[in-house]
Amino acid sequence: MIPAFDLLHRKIQEAIWNQETKWERLRPLQEDSIRAVLQRDNDIVLAAATASGKTEAAFLPILSRLAEEPDRSGVGAVYVGPLKALINDQFRRLEDLCKYAEIPVHKWHGDVSATQKKKFRENPGGVLLITPESLESNFINYGAHLERIYSRLEFVVIDELHSFLEGVRGTHLKSLLARLRLAAGADPRMLGLSATLGDWTVAQQFLDEALPASVEVISPESDRNELKVGLRSYLKAEEEGEEREDPEFIRLVSDLAKDFRKGSNLIFTNSRGLAETLADQLQQISHQEKWARNPFRIHHGSISKEIREEVEGELKLGEGHGLPVTAFCTATLEMGIDIGAAKAVGQIGPTWSVNSLVQRVGRSGRREGESSILRGYAIDENPAPEGNIEDRFYPNLLRFCALIELMIEGWLEPLDEDDWHLSTLIHQMFSILRQTGGLRPDRLFFQLCEKGAFRSVESGVFQNVLRALGSVELIEQMADGNLILAPKGERIVESKDFYAAFQAVEEYSVRCGEDEIGKLPVDSIPPVGQHLLLGGRRWQVIDIDGELKSVFVQPSRGYTKPVFMGTSGFIHDAVIGKMREILSTKEPLVYLDAEAMNRIESARAEFHRYHLDRSELVPFPGGVRWFPWAGTKTMLTIVTEASLREIKVECGLLHLTFSGMKDEERFRGFLNELVVGASDPLELAAHLPAKHFHKYDECLDTETLDRANARRILDLGGTARVARSALGKWRK
């Protein structure tokens, strides 16, 4: 077999030899990718942990192919990344490789100057790094030039593919790539760079809808590191008060200082507010204890780009330069931005999904031979004798354990294919009508549904969406049959936030003098004279300028709890099921410290005390508690079913409380109705407490919106399953 290195173009070989950090050898992933790209012609998924060389695995063979045509006009390869910071990072890495082969490399996103963009449009070529939103701007503003720029396109590389596989941005990107093929007349090979997934089917479908089985998955076992895990438990104070005065919170801060004061580390939180609070407390401790240097920093989306890049630079320098750094962060560092080798990852509170936990853990153990290290910290309510029954199961600790167990087993959440993504469909309708100036309905359906990203949307649903848009005067039909944007639709497309298919939140810039500290959501701005935490520092608001959308602050010693809201998400049935499995067994969880293990044992005792090993129903005077051990969708469906029947119910993470349900036969009848699926899905969706989840949902007519929500929000099959289980375990 010819060595993979020998398959590369001579100039790319020279580029490898001339790298500042000498390559001792190609990694298995890179060798396999070089052979797959240069010796075969199918689409490819490259799957491995962060910093395993995925970018080079994709681009070494791609650049070799482009180097064979040095006089090529037009873009040869497009790299799509989810973050501007990630694109900037990859641009620096590719620029070094490309200069030896004399292949131009360009980037296009909101921070790139108009001059650079114009230069690229006038002389396109080589490699283009771009975000989905900037690719959208190409269609809106330069639709007539797409064929000239992209007709020679051979490769599309999608970084962080797993982050695009579901949700608005993924559907948006899939639609843009399908439209690019049609507009440019190109059929590029697709390469997806991804973290390891449990099921590759949807990733393969994303890259090749027609022949998903033809997509090759390259995921060498040898690139996977040993995993080391530790998990601690903390309880909130029984009395309401300042979080920073809570003894358990003080213990958490002390443990973080001990665990992360050395080395380069990342600590993920589920809210920006908690990240700010912890960074502030460690800043105070560093002053009180007179540390020579405070190694704790903060990094999240509300902090200015300059501060984030400064933190990234410190992390990248790392301990090798005698500068240990630990950054409190949110999802901003979950992606593959190059921040060097993190020694360990901390996670405060359980993530909403196994996928997210795996991605975060993958930020550590990046050096060859190193282990990935996860240090978890679960914070629960202190269970009171007459308090919430769920508190006795320490649900955050228990859910964290379930996520870890599933991660160790290699299970990851499957992807939801039931969503029509009608809001994103409307966005793409507007975009195409702006790009083309007008199009017949059948051609619009052909581009978006028959050949595009919305193949599950039937013709009848598509026509209903068009009628809804026409009824609110967003589009109109001309005498020749073409659809065009109406004046109201034109104003939407011309708005500054149109390029993103997701809903943008209005933010104000926070400034100290001429320096921007970061941004705050408009509903999170304190009044003048009040204090805020941002960037790990304390500030006092001195002025708010509505016209400039700016908050002016000055340094302060005053403290106030941050006002950022935490993230939320849907929890899969398998996570809740694993929680029940942990409670029902006697197996020790070796990654728990003694206190956490004692609390799990206490939760197990409560599980058996309530006979939840044999039943799912816990009667109480005047009602019943039902533990269906189901995820968010099923729980929401049960609540909506009860609301439809005017049955009073309160929903927790693990159980539902039916008050006033004294008649057992009535509750049995309710369960039987759930089993047989007596409710009309549309009628059920009409009773959802909230209906508008995405940017253009409000443009839809009521019936179409209810049909869409019945598919994406409700789970009638799961509801029937858990109701059948409850009836089967009924305690008479």
Side-chain angles (χ1 to χ4, degrees), residues 405-426:
E405 291 293 311
L406 290 168
M407 177 175 66
I408 292 171
E409 292 172 11
W411 182 90
L412 295 168
E413 285 84 0
L415 298 159
D416 187 356
E417 300 180 77
D418 293 331
D419 198 337
W420 277 334
H421 295 285
L422 295 186
S423 172
T424 312
L425 173 63
I426 291 171

Side-chain angles (χ1 to χ4, degrees), residues 73-74 106 108 114-125 142 145 148-149:
S73 63
H106 313 270
W108 187 314
T115 301
Q116 288 176 285
K117 292 174 181 176
K118 182 180 179 182
K119 183 179 178 181
F120 163 75
R121 291 196 309 273
E122 291 175 347
N123 187 25
Y142 312 108
H145 301 281
R148 177 178 60 84
I149 295 172

Side-chain angles (χ1 to χ4, degrees), residues 425-474:
L425 173 63
I426 291 171
H427 178 270
Q428 290 297 279
M429 287 177 171
F430 290 160
S431 176
I432 288 180
L433 294 181
R434 178 59 177 264
Q435 172 199 345
T436 61
L439 206 63
R440 292 182 60 86
D442 59 334
R443 296 305 301 169
L444 193 60
F445 182 77
F446 174 80
Q447 286 197 31
L448 290 173
C449 300
E450 290 186 18
K451 294 294 184 181
F454 305 94
R455 300 190 184 194
S456 63
V457 176
E458 301 167 354
S459 176
V461 175
F462 188 83
Q463 291 173 21
N464 288 341
V465 174
L466 291 180
R467 292 190 191 99
L469 297 180
S471 69
V472 292
E473 299 180 342
L474 293 172

Side-chain angles (χ1 to χ4, degrees), residues 43-263:
D43 297 331
I44 301 167
V45 176
L46 301 176
T50 301
S52 56
K54 291 194 294 286
T55 302
E56 289 77 10
F59 274 100
L60 289 175
I62 287 174
L63 295 177
S64 288
R65 185 61 55 82
L66 298 186
E68 294 172 359
E69 296 184 66
D71 298 324
R72 168 197 299 266
S73 63
V75 174
V78 167
Y79 164 100
V80 181
L83 300 172
K84 291 186 288 186
L86 183 57
I87 284 177
N88 292 339
D89 180 52
Q90 301 290 34
F91 179 81
R92 288 188 289 267
R93 294 169 69 178
L94 287 178
E95 199 173 29
D96 198 27
L97 276 173
C98 288
K99 68 181 180 182
Y100 290 97
E102 299 178 330
I103 297 172
V105 55
H106 313 270
K107 58 182 175 179
W108 187 314
H109 56 63
D111 295 338
V112 176
S113 70
T115 301
Q116 288 176 285
K117 292 174 181 176
K118 182 180 179 182
K119 183 179 178 181
F120 163 75
R121 291 196 309 273
E122 291 175 347
N123 187 25
V127 180
L128 173 66
L129 291 80
I130 195 167
T131 61
E133 291 72 33
S134 292
L135 186 56
E136 177 68 71
S137 76
N138 276 214
F139 283 94
I140 295 295
N141 300 310
Y142 312 108
H145 301 281
L146 292 175
E147 185 174 3
R148 177 178 60 84
I149 295 172
Y150 295 106
S151 63
R152 300 288 305 280
L153 183 64
E154 283 194 58
F155 299 95
V156 171
V157 178
I158 304 173
D159 205 352
E160 306 289 346
L161 175 64
H162 51 278
S163 71
F164 287 115
L165 291 181
E166 60 181 344
V168 172
R169 285 193 92 196
T171 306
H172 184 202
L173 175 59
K174 194 173 180 181
S175 178
L176 291 172
L177 294 175
R179 290 170 58 193
L180 187 61
R181 291 188 189 95
L182 292 173
D187 188 20
R189 289 178 70 183
M190 309 289 290
L191 279 78
L193 313 185
S194 177
T196 301
L197 297 175
D199 180 3
W200 294 107
T201 305
V202 179
Q204 291 169 306
Q205 289 174 343
F206 191 98
L207 297 186
D208 190 334
E209 188 87 18
L211 295 170
S214 70
V215 177
E216 182 177 357
V217 177
I218 301 176
S219 182
E221 289 287 336
S222 59
D223 279 350
R224 299 178 187 178
N225 299 331
E226 179 189 8
L227 173 64
K228 295 181 179 180
V229 181
L231 179 57
R232 292 177 177 158
S233 173
Y234 305 82
L235 299 181
K236 294 180 181 178
E238 295 183 34
E239 299 294 329
E240 288 292 330
E242 284 287 357
E243 194 174 47
R244 60 205 174 106
E245 297 172 358
D246 177 358
E248 284 283 272
F249 184 76
I250 293 171
R251 183 168 72 90
L252 169 63
V253 173
S254 176
D255 286 344
L256 292 173
K258 178 179 65 178
D259 293 343
F260 293 101
R261 195 172 165 186
K262 296 180 180 179

